[in-house]
Amino acid sequence: MTSDLSGVELRDRYPLLVGDREVADGDMMAAIAPGTGEMVAEVPLADAAAVDRAATAAEGAQPAWAALSAAERGRHLRDLADAVRSQAERLARIDAMDSGNPLAAMRNDVAYGADALDYFAGIARELHGKTLPASANSLHLTLREPYGVVARILPFNHPLMFTLFHAAAPLAAGNTVIVKAPDQTPISPLEIAYLAAEVLPTGVLTVLTGNGATTGEALVAHPAIGRIGFTGRGTTGLRVMEAAAASGRVKHVTVELGGKNPLLVAPDADPAFVAEQAVGGMNFESSQGQSCGSTSRLYAPAALRDEIVDAVAARLDQIRVGDPLDTATTMGPLVSEPQLSRVQGYVDVGRSEGARLIRGGAAPDGVPEGGYYLAPTLFDRVESGHTIAIEEIFGPVLSVLEWRDRDDLIAQANATRYGLTANIITNDLDWAMDAARRVQAGCVWINGRGQHFLETPFGGYKDSGLGAEGSMESLLSYTRTKVVHVLDIGARP
């Protein structure tokens, strides 16, 4: 039996695929469509027993998967990429319904996720060790070997794309992977699990649904899982690291966390160009600002501030907020009622602390009833001590701050616990490179809006995380180094 939501066919009750078994017993969770606030399906709340079954299946499948050549594993990953592309429109529509992100953006997510599989399938052949000249009569070499079973714990903002992207590197390296889907957006990852079951060996990729307290903690603590990759909120990332340490096992944990990212505007910048980059950098039209990379602090030079504010406001007026499955929509709802309430709370605090609300701050007219909508929101006259300039909001709220002295600008940009990204807008190469070197961020874009490239690593400084995703660096992080010494070659008869 299926239900239909604006042309999207869904199951009433989604099972887990654990090894070669479908599991749909035990406690279930409601899957809510953020565009309407309606329950559209039920998914399992995987408990410790389900996690153990998944880990056992993954552990059993891993030796045979690792024994395949990199080329053979790559062919499997390309088969999965082809399967995703063959159902691209269906998956994009499910993803838009599941996350609330606009359909056009989710079509891009499907394409990027499939490309990630292809990319890591290709570079897996370059995964090799080294020979080292440590002595004259011996051979010293290193080997790259997989960890075994890897757990990937995902955030809610790009559920389908992150399932593919974050599984690709550890799979290519010879690990088996268990993905913990976001409890707010569980359907898209399960759809990927069903496709993977058709093209990958049993147990190689498993998707579990559930909450952090039950499913996530059981995954982190499980003795078969030695490598964990987490993406999400900083407080949750710290809990993952604490739980891994408390498990009694040494585990390799990487975390990609939040950001309070600055957009640094030089005095020579064009306000219209700044506005376009600011709106793009805030991810209003891809994830409603619900992105760790959103450039939520726009630092405008005093002489240009009014022009920039006017240009950004005019650009925000062009955004159409509405049903994520409507092709005319360019910004959808926030992911859940608690998320909407949280972001609305920051809007209220911004106003109470004296910032000037220029646009947004409430649900726009004409949006579907029951959905979690908030208009793109712009604050001017924000001070560095205001809450909305300090804390990560993770929503469609952009703050404009004024700067007059370049050294003070850099000091303000760095006066945060975070250090994920920074954007710089200028035609002055010296100004750009000086700012890029001095800003404390793991990723810096000059005259761009935070585009991601599979060939480059993405990670942050300070409380924005440990480790990097994407590129060869990510692939290597899912391997361990073994050193082999062949001693005294030719010395024995």
Side-chain angles (χ1 to χ4, degrees):
M1 179 178 177
T2 61
S3 59
D4 184 89
L5 187 75
S6 298
V8 178
E9 289 191 350
L10 303 172
R11 305 183 188 210
D12 291 333
R13 191 177 177 95
Y14 276 77
L16 301 176
L17 294 182
V18 179
D20 57 359
R21 290 181 51 205
E22 282 195 3
V23 179
D25 52 4
D27 292 338
M28 304 293 285
M29 303 190 312
I32 306 295
T36 62
E38 298 172 332
M39 187 182 86
V40 293
E42 288 186 310
V43 301
L45 197 167
D47 59 11
V51 169
D52 184 62
R53 289 196 296 270
T56 299
E59 190 175 32
Q62 194 274 329
W65 177 250
L68 298 176
S69 69
E72 290 172 314
R73 289 196 300 272
R75 280 193 286 273
H76 281 293
L77 294 185
R78 289 192 181 94
D79 287 344
L80 180 55
D82 290 343
V84 168
R85 292 189 181 102
S86 73
Q87 300 191 33
E89 184 62 17
R90 183 182 75 87
L91 292 172
R93 293 183 67 81
I94 290 174
D95 209 27
M97 179 281 303
D98 197 22
S99 66
N101 298 336
L103 178 58
M106 294 306 91
R107 288 169 175 157
N108 291 336
D109 270 18
V110 172
Y112 192 89
D115 287 349
L117 293 169
D118 283 343
Y119 171 73
F120 283 106
I123 67 169
R125 294 183 182 221
E126 299 303 316
L127 194 61
H128 53 72
K130 300 177 182 178
T131 55
L132 306 168
S135 66
N137 298 316
S138 301
L139 176 65
H140 311 271
L141 57 100
T142 63
L143 304 175
R144 287 282 183 176
E145 297 185 340
Y147 277 87
V149 182
V150 170
R152 294 302 325 238
I153 303 174
L154 305 184
F156 63 71
N157 49 347
H158 296 279
L160 185 145
M161 185 269 284
F162 279 156
T163 299
L164 297 171
F165 175 73
H166 286 310
L171 288 174
N175 303 281
T176 50
V177 176
I178 301 173
V179 169
K180 192 277 179 186
D183 52 297
Q184 304 94 330
T185 53
I187 295 178
S188 301
L190 285 173
E191 291 285 349
I192 293 301
Y194 303 156
L195 284 181
E198 298 176 4
V199 297
L200 300 181
T202 300
V204 168
L205 176 60
T206 304
V207 173
L208 297 180
T209 53
N211 58 33
T214 301
T215 314
E217 289 192 11
L219 268 175
V220 171
H222 199 283
I225 297 171
R227 176 73 171 89
I228 300 163
F230 171 83
T231 302
R233 188 172 297 175
T235 53
T236 308
L238 289 172
R239 287 202 296 270
V240 167
M241 296 172 75
E242 291 168 353
S247 72
R249 302 292 182 97
V250 176
K251 297 172 184 277
H252 180 177
V253 181
T254 51
V255 291
E256 196 264 281
L257 306 174
K260 192 66 181 176
N261 309 298
L263 172 58
L264 310 180
V265 181
D268 68 334
D270 171 43
F273 182 75
V274 171
E276 193 63 33
Q277 302 311 308
V279 170
M282 263 299 299
N283 300 292
F284 285 115
E285 296 176 305
S286 59
S287 60
Q288 298 73 250
Q290 298 170 127
S291 171
C292 58
S294 293
T295 47
S296 56
R297 294 183 293 154
L298 192 165
Y299 287 94
L304 292 178
R305 194 198 74 202
D306 290 344
E307 288 183 72
I308 288 172
V309 169
D310 290 345
V312 173
R315 177 63 179 83
L316 292 182
D317 290 342
Q318 298 173 16
I319 293 176
R320 176 170 173 176
V321 181
D323 177 0
L325 289 165
D326 185 340
T327 55
T329 293
T330 59
M331 179 174 150
L334 275 69
V335 75
S336 67
E337 192 282 327
Q339 177 70 1
L340 174 62
S341 178
R342 179 177 181 273
V343 176
Q344 187 68 63
Y346 278 109
V347 173
D348 296 341
V349 169
R351 299 177 75 170
S352 69
E353 291 183 348
R356 180 185 173 205
L357 182 65
I358 304 298
R359 290 290 189 277
D365 294 333
V367 295
E369 185 177 350
Y372 311 126
Y373 294 93
L374 180 66
T377 299
L378 174 64
F379 279 103
D380 187 20
R381 302 191 183 281
V382 178
E383 302 293 335
S384 59
H386 286 171
T387 301
I388 60 174
I390 297 171
E391 298 184 12
E392 184 184 33
I393 298 173
F394 216 72
V397 181
L398 173 61
S399 298
V400 178
L401 300 90
E402 181 181 295
W403 70 270
R404 295 178 180 273
D405 175 80
R406 194 154 116 190
D407 290 337
D408 183 58
L409 166 65
I410 298 299
Q412 285 190 59
N414 290 336
T416 172
R417 65 188 295 177
Y418 300 108
L420 187 57
T421 74
N423 285 30
I424 299 165
I425 297 180
T426 182
N427 292 315
D428 184 331
L429 182 60
D430 289 341
W431 202 101
M433 292 307 299
D434 176 70
R437 289 191 176 103
R438 295 169 66 188
V439 71
Q440 295 170 359
C443 298
V444 179
W445 286 266
I446 297 172
N447 296 330
R449 60 178 68 186
Q451 299 96 321
H452 288 246
F453 303 93
L454 290 167
E455 296 82 1
T456 63
F458 180 82
Y461 289 1
K462 301 190 285 188
D463 282 359
S464 287
L466 296 170
E469 302 291 349
S471 79
M472 177 61 78
E473 188 169 331
S474 178
L475 184 64
L476 293 174
S477 81
Y478 288 98
T479 66
R480 298 172 289 185
T481 300
K482 176 180 285 184
V483 181
V484 178
H485 304 277
V486 184
L487 301 177
D488 300 326
I489 296 173
R492 290 179 298 279

